[in-house]
């Protein structure tokens, strides 16, 4: 057909109709501009110089007003205990602390125990953390490329605008790795953690098991077992019950599993994808088949391979699903 | 069967894999290089969904989102399909916001004029085409990429790109003819 070669190779003899279309559309072409900065203050820099359309700057979750002025009953214990990997990082950077009487900064090895009122940490140049009343947190690393806290108990909310993986929070049940977001972690007296993400994404990791929790979802992590599959905040009750009952059970309750999977909506592919790595093969099979029914795998990915534990194919399915969550 | 950018195979390009891996590890320079390389891809997808001036802004928003979500990219070789999906979703969000009337705009700011006349008609006809055809055609007709360039940067096979271009162009010509263009 006329013009096929010109369509393929713009350097070949032009087809007049196609050339006219190209000329008409030329003003609509991408106008090269610098890459956006990942810093939140640069949200307004997204605006194209030729575009007068204004978008309001991104709004992050509000810090509770209690932090601003109230002094809390708390104490700071200097704890020379090593970091979770046995080393004490050499960084001398100290975080600014607000809301704890007599404490202005905290460095590596320091433990903060928050009393009746919330406190706040400014984490270098990358964000801030609200420590809820009763929280106990240890500062493990304040390096330029790595900031790490350990939440021993209680709750914190993090608002981070660093590059992914720069900020991490350890808990008794696993490590949360910030991927650029606002999120909350609660650790109860038994070390059980609940991580709820408001914006962005958090990865929860322990001993090779990793779950990714996007905004609007949460997951539970239990010491010795690690994180469960994440669930949306409005996930059907049957699916919530199924995840709790079957994900780590060697002999899962089939009726609970079936009811949960049947209740899964199109958006619950997040949970189903994670269940494809469940302990019991029958859970993996049922989850993968339900996932395929809701969101067929992309080219090159087979359900059988994912059930069998093929990591690259499972990852490829993730890539097809993830950006839509 | 048409093949769209999202279903393409991983791009076997060591440089891309290196850039995406380094960007995933938090290296801004690698991310900047990815932006330079793939901004036209993202923009080409968005211009099939929204007005060109919106597509320009949304392209930057897509990359900002991508930067924050890089930790979820398990296979660097699939970066093109991954960011194409983000672009498509962002485009749909923009369309939904516009349809619901929720796009904020200060009183003292006027939107720049969109394309008029023939360009507007061409874009409207382009947007009516199936996704695989319109995106591939946009990369060729709007962004000026050759067939081999489209294949190399999207992971589509040469055969798929040729099919999308040829069949897409036929449909576009038919639409334009119906709209009164010879």
């Amino acid at each position: 057909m006329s013009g096929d070669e010109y369509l393929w190779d713009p350097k070949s003899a032009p087809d007049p109709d196609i050339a006219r279309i190209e000329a008409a559309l030329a003003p609509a072409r991408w106008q090269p501009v610098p890459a956006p900065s990942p810093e939140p203050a640069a949200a307004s820099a997204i605006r194209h110089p030729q575009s007068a359309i204004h978008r309001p700057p991104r709004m992050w979750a509000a810090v509770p007003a209690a932090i601003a002025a109230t002094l809390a009953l708390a104490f700071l214990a200097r704890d020379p205990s090593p970091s979770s990997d046995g080393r004490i990082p050499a960084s001398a950077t100290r975080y600014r602390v607000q809301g704890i009487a007599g404490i202005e900064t905290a460095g590596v090895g320091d433990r903060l125990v928050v009393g009746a009122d919330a406190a706040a940490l400014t984490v270098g140049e990358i964000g801030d953390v609200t420590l809820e009343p009763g929280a106990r947190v240890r500062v493990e690393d304040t390096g330029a490329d790595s900031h790490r806290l350990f939440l021993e108990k209680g709750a914190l909310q993090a608002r981070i605008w660093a590059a992914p993986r720069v900020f991490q929070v350890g808990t008794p049940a696993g490590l949360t790795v910030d991927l650029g977001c606002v999120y909350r972690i609660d650790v109860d007296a038994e070390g059980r953690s609940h991580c709820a993400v408001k914006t962005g994404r958090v990865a929860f990791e322990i001993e090779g098991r990793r779950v990714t929790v996007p905004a609007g979802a949460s997951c539970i992590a239990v010491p010795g077992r690690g994180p469960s599959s994440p669930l949306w905040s409005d996930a059907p009750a049957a699916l919530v019950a199924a995840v709790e009952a079957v994900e780590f059970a060697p002999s899962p309750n089939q009726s609970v599993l079936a009811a949960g999977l049947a209740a899964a909506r199109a958006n619950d592919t997040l949970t189903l994808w994670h269940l494809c790595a469940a302990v019991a093969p029958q859970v993996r099979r049922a989850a993968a088949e339900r996932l395929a029914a809701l969101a067929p795998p992309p080219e090159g990915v087979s359900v059988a391979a994912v059930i069998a534990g093929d990591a690259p194919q499972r990852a490829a399915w993730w890539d097809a699903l993830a950006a839509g969550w | 069967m048409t093949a769209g950018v999202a279903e393409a195979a991983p791009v076997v390009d060591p440089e891309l894999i290196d850039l995406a891996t380094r960007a995933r590890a938090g290296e801004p320079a690698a991310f900047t290089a990815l932006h330079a390389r793939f901004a036209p891809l993202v923009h080409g997808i968005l211009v099939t969904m929204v007005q060109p001036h919106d597509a320009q802004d949304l392209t930057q928003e897509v990359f900002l989102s991508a930067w924050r979500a890089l930790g979820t990219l398990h296979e660097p070789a699939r970066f093109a399909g991954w960011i194409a999906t983000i672009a498509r979703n962002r485009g749909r969000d923009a369309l939904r916001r516009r349809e619901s009337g929720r796009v904020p705009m200060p009183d003292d700011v006027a939107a720049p004029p969109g394309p008029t006349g023939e360009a507007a008609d061409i874009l409207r006809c382009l947007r009516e085409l199936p996704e695989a055809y319109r995106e591939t055609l946009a990369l060729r007709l709007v962004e000026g990429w050759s067939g081999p360039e489209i294949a190399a940067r999207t992971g589509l096979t040469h055969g798929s790109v040729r099919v999308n271009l040829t069949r897409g162009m036929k449909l576009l010509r038919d639409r334009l003819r119906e709209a009164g263009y010879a």
Side-chain angles (χ1 to χ4, degrees):
Chain A
M1 179 180 287
S2 167
D4 287 356
E5 191 50 36
Y6 181 61
L7 272 177
W8 181 252
D9 178 9
K11 292 191 174 64
S12 64
D15 174 278
D17 285 343
I18 297 174
R20 192 181 87 234
I21 290 172
E22 283 181 289
L25 295 178
R29 183 172 294 187
W30 164 251
Q31 304 297 314
V33 293
S37 164
E39 298 300 326
S44 60
I46 290 171
R47 190 183 321 145
H48 179 226
Q50 293 180 14
S51 168
I53 292 180
H54 170 72
R55 288 185 172 76
R58 297 180 185 282
M59 300 302 294
W60 300 93
V63 174
I67 291 171
T70 311
L71 294 179
L73 295 176
F75 65 91
L76 172 64
R78 290 203 176 275
D79 185 346
S81 60
S83 64
S84 52
D85 63 1
R87 296 178 295 112
I88 299 180
S91 171
T93 302
R94 298 183 67 78
Y95 295 150
R96 194 157 56 90
V97 179
Q98 291 175 288
I100 300 179
I103 307 299
E104 291 184 358
T105 64
V108 173
D110 290 341
R111 176 183 279 116
L112 296 172
V113 181
V114 183
D117 292 294
L121 283 183
T122 301
V123 181
E125 302 295 323
I126 67 165
D128 47 61
V129 174
T130 301
L131 303 177
E132 301 282 325
R136 192 168 68 209
V137 66
R138 194 169 68 233
V139 180
E140 293 202 332
D141 191 359
T142 62
D145 299 323
S146 171
H147 297 264
R148 192 167 64 243
L149 305 176
F150 191 88
L151 181 62
E152 296 176 358
K153 69 172 262 232
L156 64 79
Q157 296 191 65
R159 184 179 72 159
I160 302 295
W161 48 79
R165 301 188 168 280
V166 171
F167 180 76
Q168 302 175 358
V169 178
T171 74
L175 180 70
T176 63
V177 180
D178 178 88
L179 302 174
C181 61
V182 177
Y183 61 98
R184 178 190 174 94
I185 306 174
D186 287 78
V187 177
D188 65 18
E190 286 82 42
R192 190 173 144 110
S193 305
H194 178 255
C195 176
V197 180
K198 275 190 179 153
T199 68
R201 295 181 184 213
V202 165
F204 216 128
E205 303 174 352
I206 183 170
E207 295 174 3
R209 174 169 168 78
R210 170 182 160 162
V211 304
T212 302
V213 189
S218 66
C219 79
I220 303 283
V222 174
R225 191 198 78 183
S228 65
S229 293
L231 288 152
W232 296 110
S233 59
D234 62 348
L239 182 61
V240 175
V243 168
E244 202 161 306
V246 311
E247 186 164 20
F248 294 95
S251 302
N253 184 312
Q254 291 299 318
S255 61
V256 171
L257 173 63
L261 296 181
R265 310 154 300 173
N267 202 29
D268 293 316
T269 48
L270 168 72
T271 306
L272 297 175
W273 182 88
H274 284 88
L275 283 176
C276 291
V279 170
Q282 58 268 50
V283 175
R284 295 200 299 272
R285 183 176 311 114
E289 288 170 356
R290 180 64 176 140
L291 177 60
L294 291 172
E299 185 182 329
V301 176
S302 78
V303 174
V306 170
I307 293 169
D310 186 312
Q313 289 201 33
R314 185 164 170 260
W317 205 349
W318 168 273
D319 287 342
L321 295 167
W325 291 325
Chain B
M1 180 177 172
T2 58
V5 176
E7 295 99 36
V11 175
V12 183
D13 178 345
E15 186 190 354
L16 167 64
I17 294 171
D18 175 62
L19 285 175
T21 302
R22 284 161 46 206
R24 191 175 61 178
E27 186 184 314
F31 175 70
T32 298
L34 287 172
H35 176 268
R37 191 163 166 168
F38 289 100
L41 169 65
V42 170
H43 183 264
I45 290 171
L46 289 170
V47 88
T48 68
M49 304 173 82
V50 299
Q51 291 297 326
H53 52 262
D54 286 334
Q56 187 82 17
D57 284 349
L58 284 175
T59 296
Q60 297 293 75
E61 290 187 21
V62 165
F63 276 90
L64 200 60
S65 294
W67 170 258
R68 292 183 177 133
L70 268 170
T72 66
L73 176 63
H74 292 202
E75 280 192 65
R78 291 186 180 272
F79 181 85
W82 180 78
I83 202 161
T85 303
I86 296 175
R88 214 167 283 120
N89 289 333
R90 188 56 61 94
R92 287 191 201 108
D93 286 346
L95 284 173
R96 275 195 293 269
R97 281 201 306 273
R98 183 169 295 277
E99 284 162 8
S100 69
R102 283 189 283 126
V103 176
M105 186 155 332
D107 291 339
D108 61 344
V109 172
T116 57
E118 187 178 32
D121 287 335
I122 295 170
L123 285 173
R124 190 187 68 250
C125 292
L126 187 65
R127 291 183 189 123
E128 292 172 2
L129 302 184
E131 185 177 276
Y133 294 158
R134 69 170 181 255
E135 288 182 359
T136 309
L137 270 181
L139 294 175
R140 172 62 184 88
L141 299 175
V142 178
E143 305 302 336
W145 284 1
S146 68
E149 283 176 322
I150 294 170
R153 296 189 199 182
T154 63
L156 289 169
T157 63
H158 281 213
S160 291
V161 174
R162 279 192 184 272
V163 164
N164 290 348
L165 287 175
T166 303
R167 292 183 186 169
M169 195 64 223
K170 180 183 183 310
L171 286 179
L172 181 62
R173 287 187 208 258
D174 290 343
R175 296 272 197 283
L176 287 172
R177 200 172 300 117
E178 289 165 13
Y181 291 94

